[in-house]
Amino acid sequence: MMNGRIGLLSNNWKLSLYLLPAIAVTLLLVGYGTWSAVAQSFQTIDGEWTIAAYAELFSSHAFFHSLKLTFRVAILSTLLSLVIGLVMTRMLYELFKDSTSKLLVWVPMLIPHFVAGYLVFLFLSQSGLLSSLLYQIGALENRENFPVLVQEKFGIGIILTYVWKEVPFVILMLLPVYYEIDHRYSEVVRTLGGSKWDAFKTVELPWLLPVLIETSVIVVAFVASAFEIPYLLGVTRPEMLPVRAYEWFYNGDWGKRPLAFSAMILPGVIALLLATLSIGAVQKHRLRMIKGRSR
């Protein structure tokens, strides 16, 4: 027993040594950058510590409009990506198992986000290719009758771009889970008179739920902090928080820079809280599944 514990401690120590370089680089680069941003959000130009930037943010209606738009776009993009990615995975996982066709689904992941946003603008703007095609075939009397899908206040074009980009990522996360599920249990549920929804809820969802939660946190955090697509496809007012922070940082007024840092730290804190809560929930769910399987 004692030898086993010593061996386990030795393995843990070796594992810590192997991970030390990656942890050190992460702390030096990400940790220092995060600390620098937090410190500058609490400092004036003269280096004095103050909460004036946060007080100004919370008293600004424009900030709350940007915050509302940011999380509306992030949440809708995430939900649509999860639903579409889940449906596609359920329909096509058998085909993907024995075929290289799944590479076609992941092609959008190779396209940079700025290029993806430009393609959406090129196809879906009122002067874009789709409106021109509909006008040429007589489906539209005027190009102005084409619905405004980009550079409008709700963020439809931004959402469509993120959905197009993130659905392959969702499929990439879900495919390994579907290969691990014993789908014979679904057949048992159907044999006992259950519907497709019963089979999904009873057999597939317990396996998928942890991955769905983790994927949703990743996508929400990414969309809420990304700059390129909102800058290209968004409107001047209200703009998403990354665009507003960019304007505060580069508008030439150094007094606005603490506002830029604080405007981006708040979504980061919210994303960190969501990640912490989701990790706890996922771990509890996985422990329940392990205990259920061991009985």
Side-chain angles (χ1 to χ4, degrees):
M1 180 69 71
M2 183 63 68
N3 292 333
R5 291 181 178 178
I6 293 175
L8 181 61
L9 290 174
S10 176
N11 291 334
N12 290 337
W13 178 248
K14 290 180 180 179
L15 180 61
S16 300
L17 287 178
Y18 293 148
L19 293 176
L20 185 60
I23 295 173
V25 171
T26 302
L27 290 177
L28 287 175
L29 298 180
V30 180
Y32 174 77
T34 302
W35 163 249
S36 178
V38 172
Q40 292 187 59
S41 71
F42 284 102
Q43 290 180 340
T44 63
I45 301 176
D46 300 327
E48 299 179 358
W49 290 81
T50 177
I51 61 171
Y54 290 92
E56 185 175 346
L57 275 186
F58 287 118
S59 62
S60 171
H61 293 291
F63 167 74
F64 284 105
H65 287 314
S66 294
L67 187 66
K68 178 182 177 181
L69 174 62
T70 299
F71 281 98
R72 180 174 68 210
V73 169
I75 292 172
L76 289 178
S77 300
T78 302
L79 291 177
L80 289 172
S81 299
L82 289 177
V83 171
I84 297 173
L86 177 58
V87 171
M88 291 184 65
T89 306
R90 291 190 78 246
M91 293 174 58
L92 302 174
Y93 75 93
E94 287 288 353
L95 175 64
F96 290 160
K97 183 183 296 186
D98 301 319
S99 174
T100 58
S101 59
K102 58 186 175 183
L103 298 177
L104 297 176
V105 180
W106 295 337
V107 166
M109 296 180 66
L110 303 176
I111 301 174
H113 281 78
F114 184 82
V115 176
Y118 178 75
L119 290 175
V120 169
F121 180 85
L122 185 65
F123 279 90
L124 298 183
S125 65
Q126 284 191 315
S127 59
L129 297 178
L130 182 57
S131 64
S132 299
L133 176 62
L134 294 176
Y135 175 75
Q136 292 294 332
I137 64 177
L140 290 177
E141 295 182 1
N142 195 309
R143 289 186 182 181
E144 295 180 357
N145 295 333
F146 189 79
V148 180
L149 300 177
V150 298
Q151 295 180 336
E152 44 76 46
K153 293 184 178 180
F154 191 83
I156 297 175
I158 302 173
I159 293 172
L160 291 175
T161 307
Y162 281 124
V163 169
W164 175 44
K165 284 287 296 177
E166 303 309 324
V167 164
F169 174 71
V170 174
I171 296 175
L172 179 66
M173 297 292 287
L174 294 181
L175 269 180
V177 182
Y178 264 93
Y179 293 151
E180 293 178 359
I181 297 174
D182 190 347
H183 295 278
R184 291 177 297 180
Y185 290 114
S186 299
E187 297 176 3
V188 172
V189 174
R190 299 297 301 277
T191 302
L192 295 175
S195 62
K196 290 183 178 181
W197 168 249
D198 293 326
F200 172 77
K201 182 176 61 175
T202 306
V203 179
E204 298 177 19
L205 188 58
W207 287 85
L208 294 171
L209 190 59
V211 179
L212 289 173
I213 293 175
E214 293 169 349
T215 305
S216 64
V217 172
I218 293 172
V219 176
V220 166
F222 175 79
V223 174
S225 59
F227 167 78
E228 309 98 315
I229 293 176
Y231 185 77
L232 179 64
L233 301 179
V235 294
T236 304
R237 292 292 183 272
E239 68 272 78
M240 289 179 62
L241 272 181
V243 180
R244 182 172 289 273
Y246 177 88
E247 292 177 353
W248 278 335
F249 192 86
Y250 287 105
N251 70 351
D253 183 0
W254 283 63
K256 295 291 185 181
R257 292 202 167 185
L259 287 176
F261 287 111
S262 57
M264 291 308 300
I265 286 171
L266 288 176
V269 171
I270 295 173
L272 182 62
L273 291 175
L274 288 175
T276 303
L277 294 174
S278 66
I279 289 173
V282 165
Q283 291 300 326
K284 290 180 180 179
H285 180 78
R286 283 175 172 159
L287 286 175
R288 286 197 298 268
M289 289 186 62
I290 293 173
K291 290 180 180 178
R293 293 180 65 187
S294 62
R295 290 177 181 176

Short mmCIF file of all heavy atoms in Angstrom, two decimals, residues 167-219:
data_model
loop_
_atom_site.label_atom_id
_atom_site.label_comp_id
_atom_site.label_asym_id
_atom_site.label_seq_id
_atom_site.Cartn_x
_atom_site.Cartn_y
_atom_site.Cartn_z
N VAL A 167 -20.72 26.47 -35.96
CA VAL A 167 -21.37 25.17 -36.12
C VAL A 167 -20.33 24.06 -36.34
O VAL A 167 -20.43 22.98 -35.72
CB VAL A 167 -22.42 25.21 -37.25
CG1 VAL A 167 -22.80 23.80 -37.69
CG2 VAL A 167 -23.66 25.95 -36.79
N PRO A 168 -19.33 24.22 -37.21
CA PRO A 168 -18.31 23.16 -37.34
C PRO A 168 -17.59 22.88 -36.03
O PRO A 168 -17.23 21.73 -35.75
CB PRO A 168 -17.36 23.73 -38.40
CG PRO A 168 -18.19 24.68 -39.18
CD PRO A 168 -19.12 25.31 -38.20
N PHE A 169 -17.36 23.92 -35.22
CA PHE A 169 -16.71 23.71 -33.93
C PHE A 169 -17.58 22.87 -33.01
O PHE A 169 -17.10 21.97 -32.31
CB PHE A 169 -16.39 25.06 -33.29
CG PHE A 169 -15.86 24.96 -31.89
CD1 PHE A 169 -14.58 24.47 -31.67
CD2 PHE A 169 -16.63 25.34 -30.81
CE1 PHE A 169 -14.08 24.37 -30.37
CE2 PHE A 169 -16.14 25.25 -29.52
CZ PHE A 169 -14.86 24.76 -29.30
N VAL A 170 -18.89 23.13 -33.02
CA VAL A 170 -19.82 22.34 -32.21
C VAL A 170 -19.81 20.88 -32.66
O VAL A 170 -19.78 19.96 -31.84
CB VAL A 170 -21.24 22.93 -32.28
CG1 VAL A 170 -22.24 22.03 -31.56
CG2 VAL A 170 -21.27 24.34 -31.69
N ILE A 171 -19.83 20.66 -33.97
CA ILE A 171 -19.79 19.29 -34.50
C ILE A 171 -18.49 18.60 -34.08
O ILE A 171 -18.49 17.43 -33.68
CB ILE A 171 -19.93 19.31 -36.03
CG1 ILE A 171 -21.30 19.85 -36.44
CG2 ILE A 171 -19.73 17.91 -36.60
CD1 ILE A 171 -21.48 20.02 -37.93
N LEU A 172 -17.39 19.33 -34.15
CA LEU A 172 -16.10 18.78 -33.74
C LEU A 172 -16.12 18.34 -32.28
O LEU A 172 -15.52 17.31 -31.92
CB LEU A 172 -15.01 19.82 -33.97
CG LEU A 172 -13.58 19.43 -33.58
CD1 LEU A 172 -13.08 18.30 -34.46
CD2 LEU A 172 -12.66 20.63 -33.66
N MET A 173 -16.80 19.09 -31.43
CA MET A 173 -16.87 18.76 -30.01
C MET A 173 -17.82 17.59 -29.74
O MET A 173 -17.59 16.79 -28.82
CB MET A 173 -17.31 19.99 -29.22
CG MET A 173 -16.36 21.16 -29.28
SD MET A 173 -14.79 20.84 -28.44
CE MET A 173 -15.32 20.92 -26.72
N LEU A 174 -18.90 17.48 -30.52
CA LEU A 174 -19.93 16.48 -30.24
C LEU A 174 -19.65 15.12 -30.87
O LEU A 174 -20.11 14.10 -30.34
CB LEU A 174 -21.29 16.99 -30.72
CG LEU A 174 -21.88 18.20 -30.00
CD1 LEU A 174 -23.24 18.55 -30.59
CD2 LEU A 174 -22.00 17.94 -28.51
N LEU A 175 -18.94 15.08 -31.98
CA LEU A 175 -18.72 13.81 -32.67
C LEU A 175 -18.09 12.73 -31.78
O LEU A 175 -18.56 11.59 -31.76
CB LEU A 175 -17.87 14.03 -33.92
CG LEU A 175 -18.61 14.32 -35.22
CD1 LEU A 175 -17.62 14.51 -36.35
CD2 LEU A 175 -19.58 13.20 -35.56
N PRO A 176 -17.02 13.03 -31.04
CA PRO A 176 -16.44 11.97 -30.19
C PRO A 176 -17.43 11.43 -29.17
O PRO A 176 -17.38 10.24 -28.83
CB PRO A 176 -15.26 12.68 -29.51
CG PRO A 176 -14.93 13.83 -30.41
CD PRO A 176 -16.23 14.27 -30.98
N VAL A 177 -18.33 12.29 -28.68
CA VAL A 177 -19.32 11.83 -27.70
C VAL A 177 -20.29 10.86 -28.34
O VAL A 177 -20.64 9.83 -27.75
CB VAL A 177 -20.08 13.04 -27.10
CG1 VAL A 177 -21.08 12.58 -26.06
CG2 VAL A 177 -19.10 14.03 -26.49
N TYR A 178 -20.73 11.17 -29.56
CA TYR A 178 -21.67 10.28 -30.24
C TYR A 178 -21.02 8.93 -30.57
O TYR A 178 -21.71 7.91 -30.61
CB TYR A 178 -22.19 10.94 -31.51
CG TYR A 178 -23.52 11.61 -31.28
CD1 TYR A 178 -23.58 12.95 -30.95
CD2 TYR A 178 -24.71 10.90 -31.37
CE1 TYR A 178 -24.80 13.57 -30.72
CE2 TYR A 178 -25.92 11.50 -31.14
CZ TYR A 178 -25.96 12.84 -30.82
OH TYR A 178 -27.17 13.43 -30.58
N TYR A 179 -19.72 8.91 -30.78
CA TYR A 179 -19.07 7.64 -31.03
C TYR A 179 -18.95 6.80 -29.76
O TYR A 179 -18.81 5.57 -29.83
CB TYR A 179 -17.67 7.87 -31.62
CG TYR A 179 -17.69 8.49 -33.00
CD1 TYR A 179 -16.65 9.30 -33.44
CD2 TYR A 179 -18.76 8.26 -33.86
CE1 TYR A 179 -16.67 9.86 -34.71
CE2 TYR A 179 -18.79 8.82 -35.13
CZ TYR A 179 -17.74 9.62 -35.55
OH TYR A 179 -17.76 10.19 -36.80
N GLU A 180 -19.00 7.45 -28.59
CA GLU A 180 -18.90 6.72 -27.33
C GLU A 180 -20.24 6.20 -26.84
O GLU A 180 -20.29 5.27 -26.04
CB GLU A 180 -18.29 7.63 -26.25
CG GLU A 180 -16.84 8.00 -26.50
CD GLU A 180 -16.31 8.94 -25.43
OE1 GLU A 180 -17.09 9.29 -24.52
OE2 GLU A 180 -15.12 9.31 -25.49
N ILE A 181 -21.34 6.79 -27.27
CA ILE A 181 -22.66 6.40 -26.80
C ILE A 181 -23.02 5.02 -27.34
O ILE A 181 -22.81 4.71 -28.52
CB ILE A 181 -23.73 7.43 -27.24
CG1 ILE A 181 -23.44 8.79 -26.59
CG2 ILE A 181 -25.13 6.96 -26.87
CD1 ILE A 181 -24.37 9.89 -27.08
N ASP A 182 -23.57 4.18 -26.48
CA ASP A 182 -24.08 2.87 -26.90
C ASP A 182 -25.51 3.08 -27.40
O ASP A 182 -26.45 3.17 -26.61
CB ASP A 182 -24.05 1.89 -25.73
CG ASP A 182 -24.35 0.46 -26.17
OD1 ASP A 182 -24.82 0.28 -27.31
OD2 ASP A 182 -24.12 -0.47 -25.37
N HIS A 183 -25.67 3.16 -28.70
CA HIS A 183 -26.97 3.51 -29.28
C HIS A 183 -27.97 2.34 -29.21
O HIS A 183 -29.13 2.52 -29.60
CB HIS A 183 -26.78 3.96 -30.73
CG HIS A 183 -26.00 5.23 -30.84
ND1 HIS A 183 -26.57 6.47 -30.67
CD2 HIS A 183 -24.68 5.45 -31.08
CE1 HIS A 183 -25.66 7.41 -30.83
NE2 HIS A 183 -24.49 6.81 -31.07
N ARG A 184 -27.54 1.20 -28.70
CA ARG A 184 -28.49 0.11 -28.51
C ARG A 184 -29.53 0.46 -27.45
O ARG A 184 -30.66 -0.02 -27.49
CB ARG A 184 -27.74 -1.16 -28.11
CG ARG A 184 -26.89 -1.75 -29.25
CD ARG A 184 -26.13 -2.95 -28.77
NE ARG A 184 -25.18 -2.60 -27.72
CZ ARG A 184 -24.37 -3.47 -27.10
NH1 ARG A 184 -24.42 -4.75 -27.45
NH2 ARG A 184 -23.55 -3.06 -26.16
N TYR A 185 -29.14 1.34 -26.50
CA TYR A 185 -30.10 1.77 -25.49
C TYR A 185 -31.24 2.58 -26.12
O TYR A 185 -32.38 2.53 -25.65
CB TYR A 185 -29.39 2.59 -24.41
CG TYR A 185 -28.47 1.78 -23.55
CD1 TYR A 185 -27.09 2.00 -23.57
CD2 TYR A 185 -28.98 0.80 -22.70
CE1 TYR A 185 -26.24 1.24 -22.78
CE2 TYR A 185 -28.12 0.04 -21.90
CZ TYR A 185 -26.76 0.28 -21.94
OH TYR A 185 -25.93 -0.47 -21.16
N SER A 186 -30.92 3.34 -27.16
CA SER A 186 -31.98 4.07 -27.86
C SER A 186 -32.97 3.11 -28.49
O SER A 186 -34.19 3.36 -28.47
CB SER A 186 -31.37 4.98 -28.94
OG SER A 186 -30.50 5.93 -28.38
N GLU A 187 -32.46 2.01 -29.04
CA GLU A 187 -33.35 1.01 -29.62
C GLU A 187 -34.23 0.37 -28.54
O GLU A 187 -35.40 0.06 -28.79
CB GLU A 187 -32.52 -0.05 -30.33
CG GLU A 187 -31.70 0.50 -31.50
CD GLU A 187 -30.82 -0.55 -32.12
OE1 GLU A 187 -30.88 -1.73 -31.66
OE2 GLU A 187 -30.06 -0.22 -33.06
N VAL A 188 -33.68 0.20 -27.35
CA VAL A 188 -34.47 -0.36 -26.25
C VAL A 188 -35.61 0.58 -25.88
O VAL A 188 -36.75 0.16 -25.67
CB VAL A 188 -33.57 -0.63 -25.02
CG1 VAL A 188 -34.42 -1.03 -23.82
CG2 VAL A 188 -32.55 -1.71 -25.33
N VAL A 189 -35.30 1.87 -25.81
CA VAL A 189 -36.33 2.86 -25.48
C VAL A 189 -37.44 2.85 -26.53
O VAL A 189 -38.63 2.88 -26.20
CB VAL A 189 -35.71 4.27 -25.36
CG1 VAL A 189 -36.80 5.33 -25.17
CG2 VAL A 189 -34.73 4.32 -24.19
N ARG A 190 -37.06 2.79 -27.80
CA ARG A 190 -38.07 2.76 -28.87
C ARG A 190 -38.88 1.47 -28.82
O ARG A 190 -40.10 1.48 -29.08
CB ARG A 190 -37.38 2.89 -30.24
CG ARG A 190 -36.60 4.19 -30.44
CD ARG A 190 -37.52 5.41 -30.39
NE ARG A 190 -38.54 5.32 -31.42
CZ ARG A 190 -38.34 5.69 -32.68
NH1 ARG A 190 -37.18 6.19 -33.06
NH2 ARG A 190 -39.34 5.59 -33.55
N THR A 191 -38.22 0.36 -28.48
CA THR A 191 -38.93 -0.92 -28.39
C THR A 191 -39.98 -0.89 -27.28
O THR A 191 -41.06 -1.48 -27.41
CB THR A 191 -37.93 -2.06 -28.15
OG1 THR A 191 -36.97 -2.08 -29.20
CG2 THR A 191 -38.65 -3.40 -28.08
N LEU A 192 -39.67 -0.18 -26.20
CA LEU A 192 -40.59 -0.09 -25.07
C LEU A 192 -41.68 0.96 -25.28
O LEU A 192 -42.45 1.24 -24.35
CB LEU A 192 -39.81 0.21 -23.79
CG LEU A 192 -38.84 -0.88 -23.33
CD1 LEU A 192 -38.04 -0.43 -22.13
CD2 LEU A 192 -39.59 -2.17 -23.02
N GLY A 193 -41.73 1.54 -26.47
CA GLY A 193 -42.80 2.49 -26.78
C GLY A 193 -42.41 3.95 -26.66
O GLY A 193 -43.27 4.82 -26.80
N GLY A 194 -41.16 4.23 -26.41
CA GLY A 194 -40.72 5.62 -26.29
C GLY A 194 -40.57 6.28 -27.64
O GLY A 194 -40.36 5.62 -28.67
N SER A 195 -40.68 7.59 -27.66
CA SER A 195 -40.52 8.36 -28.89
C SER A 195 -39.04 8.68 -29.13
O SER A 195 -38.18 8.36 -28.31
CB SER A 195 -41.32 9.66 -28.79
OG SER A 195 -40.83 10.47 -27.74
N LYS A 196 -38.78 9.32 -30.26
CA LYS A 196 -37.41 9.74 -30.54
C LYS A 196 -36.91 10.73 -29.49
O LYS A 196 -35.74 10.70 -29.10
CB LYS A 196 -37.32 10.37 -31.93
CG LYS A 196 -37.50 9.39 -33.08
CD LYS A 196 -37.32 10.10 -34.41
CE LYS A 196 -37.46 9.12 -35.57
NZ LYS A 196 -37.27 9.78 -36.89
N TRP A 197 -37.82 11.59 -29.02
CA TRP A 197 -37.45 12.55 -27.99
C TRP A 197 -37.11 11.83 -26.69
O TRP A 197 -36.17 12.20 -25.99
CB TRP A 197 -38.57 13.56 -27.78
CG TRP A 197 -38.38 14.40 -26.56
CD1 TRP A 197 -39.10 14.38 -25.42
CD2 TRP A 197 -37.36 15.40 -26.35
NE1 TRP A 197 -38.63 15.28 -24.50
CE2 TRP A 197 -37.56 15.92 -25.06
CE3 TRP A 197 -36.32 15.87 -27.14
CZ2 TRP A 197 -36.75 16.92 -24.53
CZ3 TRP A 197 -35.49 16.87 -26.61
CH2 TRP A 197 -35.72 17.38 -25.33
N ASP A 198 -37.89 10.79 -26.34
CA ASP A 198 -37.61 10.02 -25.14
C ASP A 198 -36.24 9.36 -25.23
O ASP A 198 -35.48 9.33 -24.25
CB ASP A 198 -38.69 8.95 -24.93
CG ASP A 198 -40.05 9.56 -24.61
OD1 ASP A 198 -40.08 10.60 -23.94
OD2 ASP A 198 -41.07 8.98 -25.03
N ALA A 199 -35.93 8.82 -26.40
CA ALA A 199 -34.62 8.18 -26.59
C ALA A 199 -33.50 9.21 -26.46
O ALA A 199 -32.47 8.93 -25.83
CB ALA A 199 -34.57 7.49 -27.94
N PHE A 200 -33.69 10.37 -27.06
CA PHE A 200 -32.66 11.41 -26.97
C PHE A 200 -32.49 11.89 -25.54
O PHE A 200 -31.37 12.00 -25.04
CB PHE A 200 -33.05 12.59 -27.87
CG PHE A 200 -32.17 13.79 -27.71
CD1 PHE A 200 -30.91 13.82 -28.28
CD2 PHE A 200 -32.59 14.89 -26.98
CE1 PHE A 200 -30.08 14.92 -28.13
CE2 PHE A 200 -31.77 15.99 -26.81
CZ PHE A 200 -30.51 16.01 -27.39
N LYS A 201 -33.61 12.13 -24.85
CA LYS A 201 -33.56 12.65 -23.48
C LYS A 201 -32.97 11.64 -22.50
O LYS A 201 -32.24 12.02 -21.57
CB LYS A 201 -34.97 13.05 -23.04
CG LYS A 201 -35.07 13.65 -21.66
CD LYS A 201 -36.49 14.08 -21.37
CE LYS A 201 -37.45 12.92 -21.42
NZ LYS A 201 -38.83 13.31 -21.03
N THR A 202 -33.26 10.36 -22.72
CA THR A 202 -32.83 9.33 -21.77
C THR A 202 -31.42 8.83 -22.04
O THR A 202 -30.64 8.61 -21.10
CB THR A 202 -33.81 8.13 -21.82
OG1 THR A 202 -35.14 8.61 -21.62
CG2 THR A 202 -33.46 7.12 -20.75
N VAL A 203 -31.07 8.67 -23.30
CA VAL A 203 -29.80 8.02 -23.65
C VAL A 203 -28.73 9.04 -24.03
O VAL A 203 -27.60 9.00 -23.52
CB VAL A 203 -30.02 7.02 -24.81
CG1 VAL A 203 -28.69 6.37 -25.20
CG2 VAL A 203 -31.04 5.97 -24.41
N GLU A 204 -29.05 9.95 -24.94
CA GLU A 204 -28.03 10.82 -25.51
C GLU A 204 -27.74 12.06 -24.66
O GLU A 204 -26.58 12.44 -24.48
CB GLU A 204 -28.45 11.25 -26.92
CG GLU A 204 -28.61 10.10 -27.89
CD GLU A 204 -29.11 10.55 -29.25
OE1 GLU A 204 -28.98 11.75 -29.57
OE2 GLU A 204 -29.63 9.71 -30.00
N LEU A 205 -28.78 12.71 -24.15
CA LEU A 205 -28.60 13.97 -23.45
C LEU A 205 -27.69 13.89 -22.24
O LEU A 205 -26.86 14.79 -22.03
CB LEU A 205 -29.96 14.56 -23.07
CG LEU A 205 -29.95 15.99 -22.51
CD1 LEU A 205 -29.31 16.94 -23.53
CD2 LEU A 205 -31.36 16.45 -22.16
N PRO A 206 -27.79 12.85 -21.39
CA PRO A 206 -26.84 12.78 -20.26
C PRO A 206 -25.38 12.76 -20.69
O PRO A 206 -24.52 13.30 -19.98
CB PRO A 206 -27.24 11.46 -19.56
CG PRO A 206 -28.67 11.27 -19.91
CD PRO A 206 -28.80 11.78 -21.33
N TRP A 207 -25.09 12.15 -21.83
CA TRP A 207 -23.72 12.15 -22.33
C TRP A 207 -23.35 13.50 -22.96
O TRP A 207 -22.20 13.96 -22.85
CB TRP A 207 -23.54 11.05 -23.39
CG TRP A 207 -23.51 9.68 -22.83
CD1 TRP A 207 -24.56 8.87 -22.54
CD2 TRP A 207 -22.34 8.93 -22.47
NE1 TRP A 207 -24.14 7.68 -22.03
CE2 TRP A 207 -22.77 7.68 -21.98
CE3 TRP A 207 -20.97 9.19 -22.53
CZ2 TRP A 207 -21.89 6.70 -21.53
CZ3 TRP A 207 -20.08 8.22 -22.10
CH2 TRP A 207 -20.54 6.99 -21.61
N LEU A 208 -24.30 14.12 -23.62
CA LEU A 208 -24.01 15.34 -24.36
C LEU A 208 -23.97 16.58 -23.48
O LEU A 208 -23.29 17.56 -23.81
CB LEU A 208 -25.08 15.55 -25.45
CG LEU A 208 -25.12 14.53 -26.58
CD1 LEU A 208 -26.36 14.76 -27.43
CD2 LEU A 208 -23.87 14.64 -27.44
N LEU A 209 -24.70 16.55 -22.36
CA LEU A 209 -24.87 17.77 -21.56
C LEU A 209 -23.56 18.40 -21.12
O LEU A 209 -23.38 19.62 -21.26
CB LEU A 209 -25.76 17.46 -20.35
CG LEU A 209 -26.22 18.67 -19.54
CD1 LEU A 209 -27.02 19.62 -20.42
CD2 LEU A 209 -27.05 18.22 -18.34
N PRO A 210 -22.59 17.64 -20.58
CA PRO A 210 -21.32 18.29 -20.19
C PRO A 210 -20.61 18.98 -21.35
O PRO A 210 -20.13 20.11 -21.21
CB PRO A 210 -20.49 17.13 -19.64
CG PRO A 210 -21.48 16.10 -19.24
CD PRO A 210 -22.59 16.21 -20.23
N VAL A 211 -20.58 18.32 -22.50
CA VAL A 211 -19.90 18.91 -23.67
C VAL A 211 -20.66 20.12 -24.18
O VAL A 211 -20.06 21.12 -24.59
CB VAL A 211 -19.73 17.85 -24.78
CG1 VAL A 211 -19.04 18.46 -25.99
CG2 VAL A 211 -18.94 16.67 -24.26
N LEU A 212 -21.98 20.06 -24.17
CA LEU A 212 -22.78 21.20 -24.60
C LEU A 212 -22.54 22.41 -23.71
O LEU A 212 -22.42 23.54 -24.20
CB LEU A 212 -24.27 20.83 -24.60
CG LEU A 212 -24.75 19.87 -25.69
CD1 LEU A 212 -26.20 19.47 -25.45
CD2 LEU A 212 -24.59 20.50 -27.08
N ILE A 213 -22.46 22.19 -22.41
CA ILE A 213 -22.21 23.30 -21.47
C ILE A 213 -20.82 23.88 -21.70
O ILE A 213 -20.65 25.10 -21.79
CB ILE A 213 -22.37 22.82 -20.02
CG1 ILE A 213 -23.83 22.45 -19.74
CG2 ILE A 213 -21.91 23.90 -19.05
CD1 ILE A 213 -24.06 21.84 -18.37
N GLU A 214 -19.82 23.02 -21.81
CA GLU A 214 -18.45 23.51 -22.02
C GLU A 214 -18.34 24.27 -23.35
O GLU A 214 -17.71 25.34 -23.41
CB GLU A 214 -17.48 22.33 -22.00
CG GLU A 214 -17.36 21.67 -20.64
CD GLU A 214 -16.61 20.35 -20.70
OE1 GLU A 214 -16.38 19.86 -21.83
OE2 GLU A 214 -16.27 19.81 -19.64
N THR A 215 -18.94 23.72 -24.40
CA THR A 215 -18.88 24.37 -25.71
C THR A 215 -19.60 25.72 -25.68
O THR A 215 -19.11 26.70 -26.26
CB THR A 215 -19.51 23.47 -26.78
OG1 THR A 215 -18.88 22.19 -26.75
CG2 THR A 215 -19.37 24.08 -28.16
N SER A 216 -20.74 25.80 -25.00
CA SER A 216 -21.48 27.05 -24.95
C SER A 216 -20.68 28.13 -24.24
O SER A 216 -20.69 29.30 -24.66
CB SER A 216 -22.83 26.84 -24.26
OG SER A 216 -22.65 26.45 -22.90
N VAL A 217 -19.99 27.77 -23.17
CA VAL A 217 -19.17 28.77 -22.45
C VAL A 217 -18.05 29.27 -23.34
O VAL A 217 -17.76 30.48 -23.39
CB VAL A 217 -18.61 28.16 -21.15
CG1 VAL A 217 -17.62 29.10 -20.50
CG2 VAL A 217 -19.74 27.85 -20.17
N ILE A 218 -17.41 28.35 -24.09
CA ILE A 218 -16.31 28.76 -24.98
C ILE A 218 -16.83 29.71 -26.06
O ILE A 218 -16.22 30.76 -26.32
CB ILE A 218 -15.67 27.50 -25.62
CG1 ILE A 218 -14.97 26.67 -24.56
CG2 ILE A 218 -14.68 27.92 -26.72
CD1 ILE A 218 -14.48 25.32 -25.07
N VAL A 219 -17.95 29.37 -26.68
CA VAL A 219 -18.47 30.19 -27.78
C VAL A 219 -18.96 31.55 -27.25
O VAL A 219 -18.68 32.59 -27.87
CB VAL A 219 -19.60 29.45 -28.51
CG1 VAL A 219 -20.22 30.33 -29.59
CG2 VAL A 219 -19.07 28.16 -29.14
#
